[in-house]
């Protein structure tokens, strides 16, 4: 039998549940700070950095590349678009709706370093933006 204190395990599980709830709240219920869009959700993003570039990967399944807007505002990379509801109509009954739809906006803070846009592509439902460090 383990000699670990059960309160340690319960505390860790409670902290994990709180973190998960906060991620879900940010992802699905974040209101946009920008008046340009009425964002209702926020896609997940990963940011990788090495000595020459920053690579940002944003999950955008079902969003056509031509509908994605990428801008730079106040020290952040901003990704905006709208994910349309795929199946809809008078004869369609929604049984479960877990994938977020509608307008979204994701602001990704950038380091205070001189950067220039290198590439932008949509691959397998993920937007990949590469920013080259200029110094």
């Amino acid at each position: 039998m383990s000699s670990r204190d059960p309160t340690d395990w319960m505390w860790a599980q409670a902290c994990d549940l709180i973190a998960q709830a906060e991620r879900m709240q940010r992802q699905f219920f974040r209101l946009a700070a920008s008046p340009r869009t009425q964002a209702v959700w926020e896609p997940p993003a990963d940011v990788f950095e090495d000595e020459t570039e920053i690579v940002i990967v944003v999950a955008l399944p079902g969003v056509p590349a031509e509908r994605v807007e990428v801008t730079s505002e106040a020290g952040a990379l901003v990704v905006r678009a709208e994910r349309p509801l795929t199946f809809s109509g008078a004869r369609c009954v929604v049984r479960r709706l877990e994938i977020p739809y509608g307008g979204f906006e994701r602001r990704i803070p950038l380091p205070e370093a001189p950067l220039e846009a290198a590439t932008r592509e949509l691959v397998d439902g993920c937007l990949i933006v590469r920013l080259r460090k200029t110094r």
Side-chain angles (χ1 to χ4, degrees), residues 75-130:
L77 184 79
V78 181
V79 179
R80 291 184 188 97
E82 185 171 339
R83 184 166 193 261
L85 187 59
T86 309
F87 302 99
S88 62
R91 295 174 33 155
C92 181
V93 175
V94 176
R95 301 281 184 205
R96 179 174 299 190
L97 194 62
E98 295 180 0
I99 301 171
Y101 294 92
F104 68 83
E105 177 178 287
R106 180 64 195 251
R107 292 177 171 275
I108 299 137
L110 297 173
E112 291 188 30
L115 301 168
E116 65 180 24
T119 62
R120 169 187 153 179
E121 58 185 334
L122 196 64
V123 178
D124 297 329
C126 290
L127 173 68
I128 302 171
V129 177
R130 292 179 181 274

Side-chain angles (χ1 to χ4, degrees), residues 6 12 19 22 31 34 76 93 98 103 114:
E22 287 174 347
L31 295 176
S34 169
V93 175
E98 295 180 0

Side-chain angles (χ1 to χ4, degrees), residues 51-73:
E51 57 278 345
T52 62
E53 69 179 353
I54 295 174
V55 179
I56 300 167
V57 181
V58 183
L60 301 179
V63 178
E66 62 274 5
R67 297 186 77 179
V68 178
E69 176 188 351
V70 179
T71 60
S72 178
E73 298 176 8

Side-chain angles (χ1 to χ4, degrees), residues 25-44:
Q25 189 274 335
R26 281 193 312 270
Q27 182 177 1
F28 296 113
F29 302 109
R30 179 181 172 268
L31 295 176
S34 169
R36 290 187 57 199
T37 184
Q38 293 178 314
V40 294
W41 65 283
E42 180 178 80

